[in-house]
Amino acid sequence: MSSNTKIVVLRSKELVYALVLLIVSVLIIMVAVSLFMPSENNPAAPSAPQNIGEEAPSGTDTTSFQELYVPGIYSSTLQLGNSNVELQITVDKNHINSISLANIDESIATLYPLMRPTLDELSAAILAEQSIENINYADENRYTSMLLMRAISETLDKARVSENADSPAGTIY
């Protein structure tokens, strides 16, 4: 009888170890899921599309005949990890003609796969509206959109006609 008891004790240890392992793995999965799921009561993570843009400076109405921009190619630098990516915007007197990324490595494109598609969406909306006001974007790429919109806004500020100077605020290439 004592040999039967030893077998039962040995099997019960295996069951205890299996249950502990199962509980620990369920806890790990729950923690991982909770880290990657957006919080519903977090005000920084709203579920509706966001509206980006600041108040328009006076004189930025695209229907007027005054010049809005100094024609040229303007750029801003985005710091992504250890690399820099250049955002270029081409403008003429009254229009934004193109928005693109330059000097983007394959490694950066791989590490940040939403950069190009998000910029393409934002660029299409901005070129259609000719303004960065009231540009909407989806929740799936809101942080990438916010980063790009900040860089676009800074770059367009460089291109804007300054009332007290004959030259633009930024560098023309």
Side-chain angles (χ1 to χ4, degrees):
M1 286 209 169
S2 65
S3 65
N4 263 346
T5 316
K6 288 182 181 178
I7 292 175
V8 171
V9 169
L10 187 62
R11 287 189 178 179
S12 67
K13 282 184 179 178
E14 291 174 358
L15 286 174
V16 168
Y17 291 146
L19 285 174
V20 169
L21 182 64
L22 181 67
I23 290 171
V24 168
S25 59
V26 167
L27 287 174
I28 289 173
I29 290 171
M30 288 174 46
V31 167
V33 167
S34 69
L35 286 175
F36 294 111
M37 296 296 289
S39 175
E40 292 175 7
N41 53 356
N42 184 359
S47 60
Q50 294 296 307
N51 185 357
I52 295 204
E54 300 173 6
E55 292 181 23
S58 61
T60 58
D61 182 15
T62 58
T63 59
S64 69
F65 292 105
Q66 70 183 23
E67 294 180 7
L68 300 174
Y69 306 109
V70 176
I73 300 172
Y74 297 85
S75 66
S76 288
T77 303
L78 293 169
Q79 179 77 26
L80 299 176
N82 293 330
S83 298
N84 292 330
V85 176
E86 191 174 352
L87 177 83
Q88 290 185 340
I89 299 179
T90 305
V91 295
D92 61 16
K93 292 179 183 179
N94 295 318
H95 297 94
I96 303 169
N97 295 329
S98 70
I99 302 172
S100 62
L101 289 174
N103 302 334
I104 186 165
D105 273 336
E106 287 182 20
S107 61
I108 295 298
T110 303
L111 288 173
Y112 301 94
L114 292 177
M115 275 304 220
R116 285 194 193 269
T118 303
L119 182 66
D120 292 343
E121 291 175 14
L122 291 173
S123 176
I126 292 169
L127 293 177
E129 292 288 329
Q130 288 297 309
S131 172
I132 59 171
E133 294 181 61
N134 301 322
I135 301 296
N136 294 324
Y137 59 92
D139 277 341
E140 297 87 27
N141 53 8
R142 70 176 168 261
Y143 298 115
T144 305
S145 297
M146 288 169 35
L147 174 74
L148 289 170
M149 285 300 293
R150 189 177 311 126
I152 290 169
S153 177
E154 291 173 8
T155 308
L156 285 175
D157 286 343
K158 293 177 185 178
R160 280 198 172 75
V161 172
S162 175
E163 293 179 9
N164 57 3
D166 293 333
S167 63
T171 305
I172 299 178
Y173 291 107

PDB file of all heavy atoms in Angstrom, residues 63-100:
ATOM      1  N   THR A  63      -8.981  81.524 -50.877  1.00  0.00           N
ATOM      2  CA  THR A  63      -9.748  82.147 -51.943  1.00  0.00           C
ATOM      3  C   THR A  63      -9.318  83.589 -52.189  1.00  0.00           C
ATOM      4  O   THR A  63      -9.712  84.186 -53.170  1.00  0.00           O
ATOM      5  CB  THR A  63     -11.258  82.128 -51.607  1.00  0.00           C
ATOM      6  OG1 THR A  63     -11.451  82.822 -50.379  1.00  0.00           O
ATOM      7  CG2 THR A  63     -11.763  80.708 -51.508  1.00  0.00           C
ATOM      8  N   SER A  64      -8.506  84.155 -51.318  1.00  0.00           N
ATOM      9  CA  SER A  64      -8.059  85.525 -51.523  1.00  0.00           C
ATOM     10  C   SER A  64      -6.936  85.550 -52.552  1.00  0.00           C
ATOM     11  O   SER A  64      -6.340  84.537 -52.873  1.00  0.00           O
ATOM     12  CB  SER A  64      -7.594  86.136 -50.202  1.00  0.00           C
ATOM     13  OG  SER A  64      -6.413  85.507 -49.789  1.00  0.00           O
ATOM     14  N   PHE A  65      -6.626  86.745 -53.038  1.00  0.00           N
ATOM     15  CA  PHE A  65      -5.607  86.878 -54.068  1.00  0.00           C
ATOM     16  C   PHE A  65      -4.243  87.219 -53.495  1.00  0.00           C
ATOM     17  O   PHE A  65      -3.286  87.358 -54.232  1.00  0.00           O
ATOM     18  CB  PHE A  65      -6.032  87.938 -55.090  1.00  0.00           C
ATOM     19  CG  PHE A  65      -7.207  87.505 -55.899  1.00  0.00           C
ATOM     20  CD1 PHE A  65      -8.461  88.022 -55.667  1.00  0.00           C
ATOM     21  CD2 PHE A  65      -7.052  86.549 -56.882  1.00  0.00           C
ATOM     22  CE1 PHE A  65      -9.546  87.609 -56.405  1.00  0.00           C
ATOM     23  CE2 PHE A  65      -8.130  86.135 -57.616  1.00  0.00           C
ATOM     24  CZ  PHE A  65      -9.383  86.656 -57.388  1.00  0.00           C
ATOM     25  N   GLN A  66      -4.137  87.359 -52.188  1.00  0.00           N
ATOM     26  CA  GLN A  66      -2.832  87.634 -51.616  1.00  0.00           C
ATOM     27  C   GLN A  66      -2.024  86.344 -51.547  1.00  0.00           C
ATOM     28  O   GLN A  66      -2.569  85.259 -51.484  1.00  0.00           O
ATOM     29  CB  GLN A  66      -2.956  88.270 -50.248  1.00  0.00           C
ATOM     30  CG  GLN A  66      -3.472  87.345 -49.167  1.00  0.00           C
ATOM     31  CD  GLN A  66      -3.628  88.082 -47.860  1.00  0.00           C
ATOM     32  OE1 GLN A  66      -3.758  89.282 -47.860  1.00  0.00           O
ATOM     33  NE2 GLN A  66      -3.595  87.358 -46.779  1.00  0.00           N
ATOM     34  N   GLU A  67      -0.731  86.507 -51.534  1.00  0.00           N
ATOM     35  CA  GLU A  67       0.149  85.350 -51.491  1.00  0.00           C
ATOM     36  C   GLU A  67       0.181  84.773 -50.078  1.00  0.00           C
ATOM     37  O   GLU A  67       0.306  85.503 -49.103  1.00  0.00           O
ATOM     38  CB  GLU A  67       1.553  85.747 -51.919  1.00  0.00           C
ATOM     39  CG  GLU A  67       1.640  86.172 -53.356  1.00  0.00           C
ATOM     40  CD  GLU A  67       3.056  86.554 -53.751  1.00  0.00           C
ATOM     41  OE1 GLU A  67       3.981  86.372 -52.949  1.00  0.00           O
ATOM     42  OE2 GLU A  67       3.214  87.032 -54.860  1.00  0.00           O
ATOM     43  N   LEU A  68       0.065  83.446 -50.013  1.00  0.00           N
ATOM     44  CA  LEU A  68       0.094  82.761 -48.726  1.00  0.00           C
ATOM     45  C   LEU A  68       1.480  82.246 -48.393  1.00  0.00           C
ATOM     46  O   LEU A  68       1.882  82.226 -47.234  1.00  0.00           O
ATOM     47  CB  LEU A  68      -0.889  81.593 -48.731  1.00  0.00           C
ATOM     48  CG  LEU A  68      -2.349  81.947 -48.974  1.00  0.00           C
ATOM     49  CD1 LEU A  68      -3.180  80.694 -49.100  1.00  0.00           C
ATOM     50  CD2 LEU A  68      -2.847  82.817 -47.854  1.00  0.00           C
ATOM     51  N   TYR A  69       2.196  81.783 -49.410  1.00  0.00           N
ATOM     52  CA  TYR A  69       3.477  81.131 -49.200  1.00  0.00           C
ATOM     53  C   TYR A  69       4.527  81.739 -50.116  1.00  0.00           C
ATOM     54  O   TYR A  69       4.211  82.279 -51.170  1.00  0.00           O
ATOM     55  CB  TYR A  69       3.382  79.635 -49.514  1.00  0.00           C
ATOM     56  CG  TYR A  69       2.297  78.912 -48.771  1.00  0.00           C
ATOM     57  CD1 TYR A  69       1.162  78.466 -49.420  1.00  0.00           C
ATOM     58  CD2 TYR A  69       2.406  78.682 -47.406  1.00  0.00           C
ATOM     59  CE1 TYR A  69       0.163  77.812 -48.741  1.00  0.00           C
ATOM     60  CE2 TYR A  69       1.405  78.021 -46.715  1.00  0.00           C
ATOM     61  CZ  TYR A  69       0.286  77.593 -47.389  1.00  0.00           C
ATOM     62  OH  TYR A  69      -0.712  76.937 -46.708  1.00  0.00           O
ATOM     63  N   VAL A  70       5.768  81.616 -49.704  1.00  0.00           N
ATOM     64  CA  VAL A  70       6.884  81.927 -50.581  1.00  0.00           C
ATOM     65  C   VAL A  70       7.189  80.633 -51.327  1.00  0.00           C
ATOM     66  O   VAL A  70       7.448  79.602 -50.694  1.00  0.00           O
ATOM     67  CB  VAL A  70       8.108  82.401 -49.775  1.00  0.00           C
ATOM     68  CG1 VAL A  70       9.293  82.624 -50.694  1.00  0.00           C
ATOM     69  CG2 VAL A  70       7.776  83.652 -48.995  1.00  0.00           C
ATOM     70  N   PRO A  71       7.096  80.638 -52.657  1.00  0.00           N
ATOM     71  CA  PRO A  71       7.280  79.390 -53.408  1.00  0.00           C
ATOM     72  C   PRO A  71       8.628  78.731 -53.100  1.00  0.00           C
ATOM     73  O   PRO A  71       9.644  79.402 -52.951  1.00  0.00           O
ATOM     74  CB  PRO A  71       7.216  79.847 -54.866  1.00  0.00           C
ATOM     75  CG  PRO A  71       6.443  81.122 -54.828  1.00  0.00           C
ATOM     76  CD  PRO A  71       6.801  81.760 -53.528  1.00  0.00           C
ATOM     77  N   GLY A  72       8.602  77.404 -53.006  1.00  0.00           N
ATOM     78  CA  GLY A  72       9.818  76.650 -52.758  1.00  0.00           C
ATOM     79  C   GLY A  72       9.538  75.298 -52.142  1.00  0.00           C
ATOM     80  O   GLY A  72       8.396  74.864 -52.034  1.00  0.00           O
ATOM     81  N   ILE A  73      10.616  74.642 -51.768  1.00  0.00           N
ATOM     82  CA  ILE A  73      10.547  73.343 -51.100  1.00  0.00           C
ATOM     83  C   ILE A  73      11.052  73.560 -49.679  1.00  0.00           C
ATOM     84  O   ILE A  73      12.174  74.013 -49.472  1.00  0.00           O
ATOM     85  CB  ILE A  73      11.393  72.278 -51.814  1.00  0.00           C
ATOM     86  CG1 ILE A  73      10.910  72.089 -53.244  1.00  0.00           C
ATOM     87  CG2 ILE A  73      11.355  70.962 -51.047  1.00  0.00           C
ATOM     88  CD1 ILE A  73      11.817  71.195 -54.079  1.00  0.00           C
ATOM     89  N   TYR A  74      10.221  73.232 -48.709  1.00  0.00           N
ATOM     90  CA  TYR A  74      10.548  73.426 -47.299  1.00  0.00           C
ATOM     91  C   TYR A  74      10.614  72.075 -46.623  1.00  0.00           C
ATOM     92  O   TYR A  74       9.914  71.140 -47.013  1.00  0.00           O
ATOM     93  CB  TYR A  74       9.498  74.318 -46.627  1.00  0.00           C
ATOM     94  CG  TYR A  74       9.463  75.689 -47.222  1.00  0.00           C
ATOM     95  CD1 TYR A  74       8.715  75.950 -48.351  1.00  0.00           C
ATOM     96  CD2 TYR A  74      10.225  76.712 -46.687  1.00  0.00           C
ATOM     97  CE1 TYR A  74       8.703  77.200 -48.932  1.00  0.00           C
ATOM     98  CE2 TYR A  74      10.214  77.967 -47.253  1.00  0.00           C
ATOM     99  CZ  TYR A  74       9.457  78.207 -48.372  1.00  0.00           C
ATOM    100  OH  TYR A  74       9.459  79.444 -48.943  1.00  0.00           O
ATOM    101  N   SER A  75      11.453  71.973 -45.606  1.00  0.00           N
ATOM    102  CA  SER A  75      11.598  70.680 -44.944  1.00  0.00           C
ATOM    103  C   SER A  75      11.687  70.834 -43.436  1.00  0.00           C
ATOM    104  O   SER A  75      12.060  71.883 -42.922  1.00  0.00           O
ATOM    105  CB  SER A  75      12.837  69.958 -45.467  1.00  0.00           C
ATOM    106  OG  SER A  75      13.996  70.660 -45.091  1.00  0.00           O
ATOM    107  N   SER A  76      11.320  69.759 -42.768  1.00  0.00           N
ATOM    108  CA  SER A  76      11.482  69.612 -41.323  1.00  0.00           C
ATOM    109  C   SER A  76      12.034  68.223 -41.072  1.00  0.00           C
ATOM    110  O   SER A  76      11.813  67.308 -41.859  1.00  0.00           O
ATOM    111  CB  SER A  76      10.140  69.754 -40.602  1.00  0.00           C
ATOM    112  OG  SER A  76       9.700  71.076 -40.616  1.00  0.00           O
ATOM    113  N   THR A  77      12.716  68.072 -39.967  1.00  0.00           N
ATOM    114  CA  THR A  77      13.310  66.784 -39.630  1.00  0.00           C
ATOM    115  C   THR A  77      12.515  66.112 -38.525  1.00  0.00           C
ATOM    116  O   THR A  77      12.192  66.737 -37.519  1.00  0.00           O
ATOM    117  CB  THR A  77      14.768  66.969 -39.187  1.00  0.00           C
ATOM    118  OG1 THR A  77      15.486  67.620 -40.227  1.00  0.00           O
ATOM    119  CG2 THR A  77      15.422  65.638 -38.890  1.00  0.00           C
ATOM    120  N   LEU A  78      12.207  64.831 -38.740  1.00  0.00           N
ATOM    121  CA  LEU A  78      11.545  64.009 -37.733  1.00  0.00           C
ATOM    122  C   LEU A  78      12.583  63.066 -37.149  1.00  0.00           C
ATOM    123  O   LEU A  78      13.289  62.397 -37.890  1.00  0.00           O
ATOM    124  CB  LEU A  78      10.427  63.169 -38.359  1.00  0.00           C
ATOM    125  CG  LEU A  78       9.224  63.899 -38.906  1.00  0.00           C
ATOM    126  CD1 LEU A  78       8.366  62.947 -39.710  1.00  0.00           C
ATOM    127  CD2 LEU A  78       8.428  64.471 -37.774  1.00  0.00           C
ATOM    128  N   GLN A  79      12.666  62.991 -35.839  1.00  0.00           N
ATOM    129  CA  GLN A  79      13.569  62.066 -35.167  1.00  0.00           C
ATOM    130  C   GLN A  79      12.803  60.780 -34.892  1.00  0.00           C
ATOM    131  O   GLN A  79      11.879  60.764 -34.088  1.00  0.00           O
ATOM    132  CB  GLN A  79      14.077  62.673 -33.860  1.00  0.00           C
ATOM    133  CG  GLN A  79      15.005  61.786 -33.080  1.00  0.00           C
ATOM    134  CD  GLN A  79      16.404  61.754 -33.655  1.00  0.00           C
ATOM    135  OE1 GLN A  79      16.833  62.692 -34.301  1.00  0.00           O
ATOM    136  NE2 GLN A  79      17.112  60.670 -33.425  1.00  0.00           N
ATOM    137  N   LEU A  80      13.171  59.704 -35.571  1.00  0.00           N
ATOM    138  CA  LEU A  80      12.546  58.393 -35.367  1.00  0.00           C
ATOM    139  C   LEU A  80      13.622  57.429 -34.891  1.00  0.00           C
ATOM    140  O   LEU A  80      14.453  56.991 -35.674  1.00  0.00           O
ATOM    141  CB  LEU A  80      11.914  57.874 -36.659  1.00  0.00           C
ATOM    142  CG  LEU A  80      10.801  58.736 -37.247  1.00  0.00           C
ATOM    143  CD1 LEU A  80      10.340  58.156 -38.576  1.00  0.00           C
ATOM    144  CD2 LEU A  80       9.644  58.819 -36.285  1.00  0.00           C
ATOM    145  N   GLY A  81      13.589  57.115 -33.620  1.00  0.00           N
ATOM    146  CA  GLY A  81      14.623  56.248 -33.060  1.00  0.00           C
ATOM    147  C   GLY A  81      15.954  56.979 -33.116  1.00  0.00           C
ATOM    148  O   GLY A  81      16.085  58.098 -32.643  1.00  0.00           O
ATOM    149  N   ASN A  82      16.946  56.361 -33.741  1.00  0.00           N
ATOM    150  CA  ASN A  82      18.262  56.976 -33.880  1.00  0.00           C
ATOM    151  C   ASN A  82      18.457  57.604 -35.247  1.00  0.00           C
ATOM    152  O   ASN A  82      19.555  58.049 -35.564  1.00  0.00           O
ATOM    153  CB  ASN A  82      19.356  55.930 -33.639  1.00  0.00           C
ATOM    154  CG  ASN A  82      19.364  55.452 -32.204  1.00  0.00           C
ATOM    155  OD1 ASN A  82      18.998  56.202 -31.306  1.00  0.00           O
ATOM    156  ND2 ASN A  82      19.778  54.224 -31.980  1.00  0.00           N
ATOM    157  N   SER A  83      17.427  57.617 -36.071  1.00  0.00           N
ATOM    158  CA  SER A  83      17.546  58.134 -37.429  1.00  0.00           C
ATOM    159  C   SER A  83      16.670  59.362 -37.624  1.00  0.00           C
ATOM    160  O   SER A  83      15.685  59.558 -36.920  1.00  0.00           O
ATOM    161  CB  SER A  83      17.128  57.058 -38.434  1.00  0.00           C
ATOM    162  OG  SER A  83      17.961  55.942 -38.339  1.00  0.00           O
ATOM    163  N   ASN A  84      17.048  60.157 -38.603  1.00  0.00           N
ATOM    164  CA  ASN A  84      16.270  61.324 -38.973  1.00  0.00           C
ATOM    165  C   ASN A  84      15.582  61.076 -40.301  1.00  0.00           C
ATOM    166  O   ASN A  84      16.167  60.497 -41.218  1.00  0.00           O
ATOM    167  CB  ASN A  84      17.162  62.555 -39.105  1.00  0.00           C
ATOM    168  CG  ASN A  84      17.718  63.002 -37.778  1.00  0.00           C
ATOM    169  OD1 ASN A  84      17.090  62.818 -36.746  1.00  0.00           O
ATOM    170  ND2 ASN A  84      18.893  63.590 -37.791  1.00  0.00           N
ATOM    171  N   VAL A  85      14.343  61.534 -40.393  1.00  0.00           N
ATOM    172  CA  VAL A  85      13.582  61.457 -41.632  1.00  0.00           C
ATOM    173  C   VAL A  85      13.185  62.880 -41.977  1.00  0.00           C
ATOM    174  O   VAL A  85      12.788  63.650 -41.104  1.00  0.00           O
ATOM    175  CB  VAL A  85      12.325  60.572 -41.470  1.00  0.00           C
ATOM    176  CG1 VAL A  85      11.491  60.570 -42.724  1.00  0.00           C
ATOM    177  CG2 VAL A  85      12.734  59.159 -41.109  1.00  0.00           C
ATOM    178  N   GLU A  86      13.310  63.214 -43.240  1.00  0.00           N
ATOM    179  CA  GLU A  86      13.016  64.571 -43.669  1.00  0.00           C
ATOM    180  C   GLU A  86      11.631  64.632 -44.304  1.00  0.00           C
ATOM    181  O   GLU A  86      11.324  63.875 -45.220  1.00  0.00           O
ATOM    182  CB  GLU A  86      14.086  65.010 -44.672  1.00  0.00           C
ATOM    183  CG  GLU A  86      14.050  66.462 -45.001  1.00  0.00           C
ATOM    184  CD  GLU A  86      15.223  66.864 -45.877  1.00  0.00           C
ATOM    185  OE1 GLU A  86      16.138  66.034 -46.095  1.00  0.00           O
ATOM    186  OE2 GLU A  86      15.203  67.993 -46.357  1.00  0.00           O
ATOM    187  N   LEU A  87      10.801  65.534 -43.813  1.00  0.00           N
ATOM    188  CA  LEU A  87       9.478  65.788 -44.378  1.00  0.00           C
ATOM    189  C   LEU A  87       9.617  67.004 -45.280  1.00  0.00           C
ATOM    190  O   LEU A  87      10.075  68.056 -44.836  1.00  0.00           O
ATOM    191  CB  LEU A  87       8.457  66.065 -43.283  1.00  0.00           C
ATOM    192  CG  LEU A  87       7.062  66.413 -43.784  1.00  0.00           C
ATOM    193  CD1 LEU A  87       6.301  65.129 -44.081  1.00  0.00           C
ATOM    194  CD2 LEU A  87       6.320  67.252 -42.794  1.00  0.00           C
ATOM    195  N   GLN A  88       9.256  66.859 -46.561  1.00  0.00           N
ATOM    196  CA  GLN A  88       9.369  67.957 -47.510  1.00  0.00           C
ATOM    197  C   GLN A  88       7.999  68.365 -48.011  1.00  0.00           C
ATOM    198  O   GLN A  88       7.176  67.522 -48.333  1.00  0.00           O
ATOM    199  CB  GLN A  88      10.228  67.547 -48.707  1.00  0.00           C
ATOM    200  CG  GLN A  88      11.679  67.376 -48.384  1.00  0.00           C
ATOM    201  CD  GLN A  88      12.511  67.089 -49.611  1.00  0.00           C
ATOM    202  OE1 GLN A  88      12.002  66.672 -50.635  1.00  0.00           O
ATOM    203  NE2 GLN A  88      13.803  67.319 -49.500  1.00  0.00           N
ATOM    204  N   ILE A  89       7.798  69.684 -48.070  1.00  0.00           N
ATOM    205  CA  ILE A  89       6.553  70.233 -48.591  1.00  0.00           C
ATOM    206  C   ILE A  89       6.912  71.223 -49.694  1.00  0.00           C
ATOM    207  O   ILE A  89       7.743  72.112 -49.493  1.00  0.00           O
ATOM    208  CB  ILE A  89       5.732  70.934 -47.498  1.00  0.00           C
ATOM    209  CG1 ILE A  89       5.358  69.948 -46.400  1.00  0.00           C
ATOM    210  CG2 ILE A  89       4.489  71.579 -48.097  1.00  0.00           C
ATOM    211  CD1 ILE A  89       4.562  70.534 -45.267  1.00  0.00           C
ATOM    212  N   THR A  90       6.289  71.051 -50.853  1.00  0.00           N
ATOM    213  CA  THR A  90       6.484  71.952 -51.979  1.00  0.00           C
ATOM    214  C   THR A  90       5.269  72.861 -52.073  1.00  0.00           C
ATOM    215  O   THR A  90       4.137  72.381 -52.085  1.00  0.00           O
ATOM    216  CB  THR A  90       6.646  71.158 -53.296  1.00  0.00           C
ATOM    217  OG1 THR A  90       7.714  70.224 -53.127  1.00  0.00           O
ATOM    218  CG2 THR A  90       6.950  72.079 -54.458  1.00  0.00           C
ATOM    219  N   VAL A  91       5.519  74.169 -52.127  1.00  0.00           N
ATOM    220  CA  VAL A  91       4.426  75.139 -52.208  1.00  0.00           C
ATOM    221  C   VAL A  91       4.700  76.124 -53.330  1.00  0.00           C
ATOM    222  O   VAL A  91       5.846  76.352 -53.717  1.00  0.00           O
ATOM    223  CB  VAL A  91       4.248  75.921 -50.878  1.00  0.00           C
ATOM    224  CG1 VAL A  91       3.815  75.008 -49.762  1.00  0.00           C
ATOM    225  CG2 VAL A  91       5.489  76.679 -50.498  1.00  0.00           C
ATOM    226  N   ASP A  92       3.609  76.695 -53.888  1.00  0.00           N
ATOM    227  CA  ASP A  92       3.748  77.863 -54.737  1.00  0.00           C
ATOM    228  C   ASP A  92       3.069  79.013 -54.006  1.00  0.00           C
ATOM    229  O   ASP A  92       2.800  78.907 -52.812  1.00  0.00           O
ATOM    230  CB  ASP A  92       3.203  77.617 -56.143  1.00  0.00           C
ATOM    231  CG  ASP A  92       1.726  77.291 -56.180  1.00  0.00           C
ATOM    232  OD1 ASP A  92       1.028  77.541 -55.180  1.00  0.00           O
ATOM    233  OD2 ASP A  92       1.255  76.791 -57.205  1.00  0.00           O
ATOM    234  N   LYS A  93       2.749  80.097 -54.680  1.00  0.00           N
ATOM    235  CA  LYS A  93       2.254  81.297 -53.993  1.00  0.00           C
ATOM    236  C   LYS A  93       1.011  81.046 -53.157  1.00  0.00           C
ATOM    237  O   LYS A  93       0.875  81.595 -52.065  1.00  0.00           O
ATOM    238  CB  LYS A  93       1.966  82.399 -55.006  1.00  0.00           C
ATOM    239  CG  LYS A  93       3.198  82.948 -55.654  1.00  0.00           C
ATOM    240  CD  LYS A  93       2.833  84.019 -56.654  1.00  0.00           C
ATOM    241  CE  LYS A  93       4.072  84.530 -57.356  1.00  0.00           C
ATOM    242  NZ  LYS A  93       3.742  85.553 -58.356  1.00  0.00           N
ATOM    243  N   ASN A  94       0.080  80.237 -53.645  1.00  0.00           N
ATOM    244  CA  ASN A  94      -1.200  80.068 -52.965  1.00  0.00           C
ATOM    245  C   ASN A  94      -1.590  78.623 -52.710  1.00  0.00           C
ATOM    246  O   ASN A  94      -2.691  78.378 -52.239  1.00  0.00           O
ATOM    247  CB  ASN A  94      -2.316  80.725 -53.787  1.00  0.00           C
ATOM    248  CG  ASN A  94      -2.137  82.219 -53.874  1.00  0.00           C
ATOM    249  OD1 ASN A  94      -1.796  82.862 -52.900  1.00  0.00           O
ATOM    250  ND2 ASN A  94      -2.340  82.765 -55.056  1.00  0.00           N
ATOM    251  N   HIS A  95      -0.731  77.669 -53.047  1.00  0.00           N
ATOM    252  CA  HIS A  95      -1.122  76.262 -52.941  1.00  0.00           C
ATOM    253  C   HIS A  95      -0.019  75.413 -52.336  1.00  0.00           C
ATOM    254  O   HIS A  95       1.166  75.664 -52.541  1.00  0.00           O
ATOM    255  CB  HIS A  95      -1.459  75.690 -54.322  1.00  0.00           C
ATOM    256  CG  HIS A  95      -2.617  76.352 -54.964  1.00  0.00           C
ATOM    257  ND1 HIS A  95      -2.484  77.395 -55.845  1.00  0.00           N
ATOM    258  CD2 HIS A  95      -3.952  76.127 -54.830  1.00  0.00           C
ATOM    259  CE1 HIS A  95      -3.675  77.786 -56.247  1.00  0.00           C
ATOM    260  NE2 HIS A  95      -4.588  77.044 -55.643  1.00  0.00           N
ATOM    261  N   ILE A  96      -0.465  74.386 -51.651  1.00  0.00           N
ATOM    262  CA  ILE A  96       0.428  73.318 -51.205  1.00  0.00           C
ATOM    263  C   ILE A  96       0.409  72.294 -52.332  1.00  0.00           C
ATOM    264  O   ILE A  96      -0.644  71.767 -52.686  1.00  0.00           O
ATOM    265  CB  ILE A  96      -0.067  72.687 -49.887  1.00  0.00           C
ATOM    266  CG1 ILE A  96      -0.190  73.751 -48.805  1.00  0.00           C
ATOM    267  CG2 ILE A  96       0.868  71.569 -49.452  1.00  0.00           C
ATOM    268  CD1 ILE A  96      -0.926  73.280 -47.561  1.00  0.00           C
ATOM    269  N   ASN A  97       1.563  72.036 -52.929  1.00  0.00           N
ATOM    270  CA  ASN A  97       1.612  71.154 -54.098  1.00  0.00           C
ATOM    271  C   ASN A  97       1.912  69.703 -53.760  1.00  0.00           C
ATOM    272  O   ASN A  97       1.365  68.801 -54.396  1.00  0.00           O
ATOM    273  CB  ASN A  97       2.645  71.667 -55.101  1.00  0.00           C
ATOM    274  CG  ASN A  97       2.244  73.006 -55.670  1.00  0.00           C
ATOM    275  OD1 ASN A  97       1.068  73.314 -55.816  1.00  0.00           O
ATOM    276  ND2 ASN A  97       3.231  73.825 -55.974  1.00  0.00           N
ATOM    277  N   SER A  98       2.786  69.469 -52.786  1.00  0.00           N
ATOM    278  CA  SER A  98       3.094  68.078 -52.430  1.00  0.00           C
ATOM    279  C   SER A  98       3.666  68.010 -51.017  1.00  0.00           C
ATOM    280  O   SER A  98       4.256  68.962 -50.526  1.00  0.00           O
ATOM    281  CB  SER A  98       4.084  67.462 -53.423  1.00  0.00           C
ATOM    282  OG  SER A  98       5.361  68.039 -53.259  1.00  0.00           O
ATOM    283  N   ILE A  99       3.458  66.845 -50.414  1.00  0.00           N
ATOM    284  CA  ILE A  99       4.008  66.544 -49.091  1.00  0.00           C
ATOM    285  C   ILE A  99       4.605  65.150 -49.194  1.00  0.00           C
ATOM    286  O   ILE A  99       3.927  64.209 -49.615  1.00  0.00           O
ATOM    287  CB  ILE A  99       2.915  66.573 -48.005  1.00  0.00           C
ATOM    288  CG1 ILE A  99       2.221  67.930 -47.966  1.00  0.00           C
ATOM    289  CG2 ILE A  99       3.502  66.224 -46.645  1.00  0.00           C
ATOM    290  CD1 ILE A  99       1.010  67.986 -47.065  1.00  0.00           C
ATOM    291  N   SER A 100       5.881  65.021 -48.832  1.00  0.00           N
ATOM    292  CA  SER A 100       6.528  63.717 -48.983  1.00  0.00           C
ATOM    293  C   SER A 100       7.603  63.520 -47.919  1.00  0.00           C
ATOM    294  O   SER A 100       8.041  64.460 -47.265  1.00  0.00           O
ATOM    295  CB  SER A 100       7.158  63.600 -50.378  1.00  0.00           C
ATOM    296  OG  SER A 100       8.154  64.592 -50.544  1.00  0.00           O
TER     297      SER A 100
END
